[in-house]
Structure formats: structure tokens, C-alpha cells
């Protein structure tokens, strides 16, 4: 039976490994946006080179997301909306990133691949799925605290977020090697012969 859990970063490995598929999580604390491949490659490159990072990632969450905001003249943020992007775009980068940084949670939509699931199991990390299309529910629980490596378009900047009971988030890939997405795909494949038969497809 699923449970509702309130967690705050930095997350411990014990807390993350205690989560199970379909648990509902409300997350507080630090999180960092990861919207483009270069966000991953820049950080992994710095870690491999032994260069210090401008943020603390161990025990924190990353969020595959885009944001709508503008910077006011006084340096504060007029923050309007946040919404998840499809996490599978980052399948190629996430496993190594998790192993190098100690990130404990990935927030996004759509799920990720088997290699990422295996990295999550090895490192003690979970995938927390948002409800797509519900930015109005999630945005009030987020504040922007800072930016890294400014780009010509502010929307491309990597952001530090402060979450306050951000949710509901659903454990869709746990740290035990289980994935809601794999289970759903398996169930669908099992029904294909029956569907093909009813449609008269050989």
C-alpha cells in the first residue's frame, strides 16, 4: 500500500531506499534545474577534472524542467511558472551524473531507461514523477534562489530552486530496481497478441 512522505533535502540514502513505487512525496529544500544536456556534461566534466562545483549536489534533487521568469532590476525574480520536461531526453547523461554527484532524486515526467534505473539502484536514488500539465499546482511551492553559468536567454540558465512541500510527486522508479514504466510496458506487450487477434492482424 502506498504512503505519503514529507522529505527535506539533503536526502539520506536510508530515506530514499525506504520509498516504494506509488508512494506520494512532498519535497522541501534545495533542488537544481537540469533542462539541457550541457547542464549534465558541464558538471560531470568539472567533477572528473577535480574542479569545485558552485552548488552542493550530494543528497539533493535535480529537476528536468523549464521555468518562466524574469529578473527584476533589484536582482530578485518575478517567477511565473515551472513545468516538467521529458526526462528520457537525458538517458545518456543521467547514470554517470548520479554516480559522480550523489544526487538522491530526479524529478520529471515520462520516466527513464534501464541504465538509469540500474544507476538509481546502485546509488540510492529515486525518480519522482510530476503530474503533467499541472504547473499551476506546483509553481506556488517553488522559489528561485540563484542562477549558474548565465546564457543569452535567461530561460537557458541552470537554476537553484527552493522547494516548500513541493508535490504531489509519485515514486515511479525506486531504489530497488522497480519501475512503473517498465511494468506498464510489460503489461501492454502481454496484451498485444490478443489485440492483434481481435483486429485480424497476423
Amino acid at each position: 500500500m502506498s504512503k505519503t512522505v514529507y522529505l527535506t533535502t539533503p536526502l539520506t540514502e536510508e530515506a530514499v531506499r525506504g520509498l516504494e513505487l506509488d508512494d506520494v512525496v512532498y519535497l522541501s529544500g534545495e533542488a537544481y534545474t537540469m533542462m539541457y544536456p550541457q547542464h549534465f556534461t558541464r558538471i560531470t566534466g568539472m567533477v572528473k577534472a577535480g574542479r569545485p562545483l558552485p552548488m552542493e549536489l550530494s543528497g539533493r534533487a535535480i529537476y528536468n524542467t523549464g521555468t518562466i521568469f524574469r529578473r527584476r532590476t533589484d536582482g530578485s525574480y518575478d517567477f511565473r511558472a515551472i513545468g516538467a520536461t521529458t526526462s528520457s531526453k537525458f538517458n545518456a547523461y543521467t547514470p554517470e551524473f548520479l554516480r559522480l554527484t550523489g544526487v538522491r532524486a530526479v524529478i520529471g515526467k515520462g520516466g527513464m531507461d534501464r541504465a538509469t534505473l540500474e544507476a538509481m539502484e546502485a546509488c540510492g536514488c529515486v525518480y519522482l514523477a510530476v503530474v503533467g500539465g499541472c504547473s499551476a499546482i506546483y509553481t506556488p511551492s517553488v522559489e528561485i534562489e540563484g542562477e549558474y553559468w548565465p546564457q543569452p536567454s535567461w530561460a537557458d540558465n541552470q537554476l537553484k530552486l527552493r522547494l516548500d512541500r513541493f508535490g504531489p510527486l509519485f515514486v515511479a522508479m525506486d531504489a530497488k530496481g522497480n519501475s512503473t514504466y517498465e511494468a506498464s510496458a510489460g503489461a501492454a506487450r502481454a496484451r498485444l497478441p490478443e489485440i492483434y487477434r481481435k483486429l485480424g492482424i497476423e
Side-chain angles (χ1 to χ4, degrees):
M1 175 180 258
S2 64
K3 58 185 179 292
T4 298
V5 182
Y6 294 85
L7 296 174
T8 300
T9 63
L11 302 172
T12 66
E13 182 174 356
E14 180 182 12
V16 169
R17 291 196 183 278
L19 297 173
E20 299 179 342
L21 291 187
D22 298 329
D23 283 351
V24 179
V25 175
Y26 289 85
L27 187 62
S28 299
E30 296 173 4
Y32 299 89
T33 62
M34 303 293 286
M35 179 66 176
Y36 298 103
Q38 59 265 34
H39 290 165
F40 291 87
T41 56
R42 179 185 287 116
I43 290 173
T44 55
M46 291 177 70
V47 173
K48 288 179 177 180
R51 296 166 56 195
L53 299 177
M55 75 281 280
E56 178 57 65
L57 291 172
S58 180
R60 272 64 174 186
I62 59 171
Y63 191 178
N64 301 145
T65 181
T67 56
I68 299 174
F69 72 96
R70 69 181 179 90
R71 194 185 306 114
R72 300 187 180 97
T73 55
D74 64 1
S76 63
Y77 296 98
D78 180 9
F79 177 50
R80 299 300 181 91
I82 191 166
T85 193
T86 303
S87 298
S88 60
K89 294 185 293 186
F90 312 117
N91 281 336
Y93 313 100
T94 302
E96 181 181 40
F97 183 87
L98 297 181
R99 291 186 169 98
L100 290 174
T101 62
V103 161
R104 295 282 180 208
V106 178
I107 305 170
K109 68 177 183 180
M112 304 191 77
D113 64 4
R114 165 55 58 171
T116 303
L117 182 63
E118 291 174 354
M120 289 181 170
E121 183 178 13
C123 299
C125 180
V126 290
Y127 183 85
L128 302 175
V130 305
V131 179
C134 293
S135 176
I137 293 175
Y138 293 104
T139 300
S141 299
V142 182
E143 293 183 1
I144 298 175
E145 286 199 338
E147 302 171 78
Y148 304 97
W149 304 295
Q151 303 297 313
S153 170
W154 293 348
D156 294 341
N157 292 355
Q158 189 169 10
L159 305 176
K160 179 181 181 180
L161 307 176
R162 176 65 55 179
L163 309 181
D164 181 17
R165 294 194 175 190
F166 181 76
L169 305 170
F170 301 90
V171 178
M173 297 168 65
D174 66 19
K176 305 177 180 69
N178 302 307
S179 169
T180 296
Y181 306 101
E182 285 193 353
S184 297
R189 284 193 298 270
R191 295 195 62 190
L192 280 178
E194 177 187 356
I195 293 171
Y196 289 162
R197 179 179 58 77
K198 289 182 177 179
L199 292 174
I201 300 174
E202 293 297 333

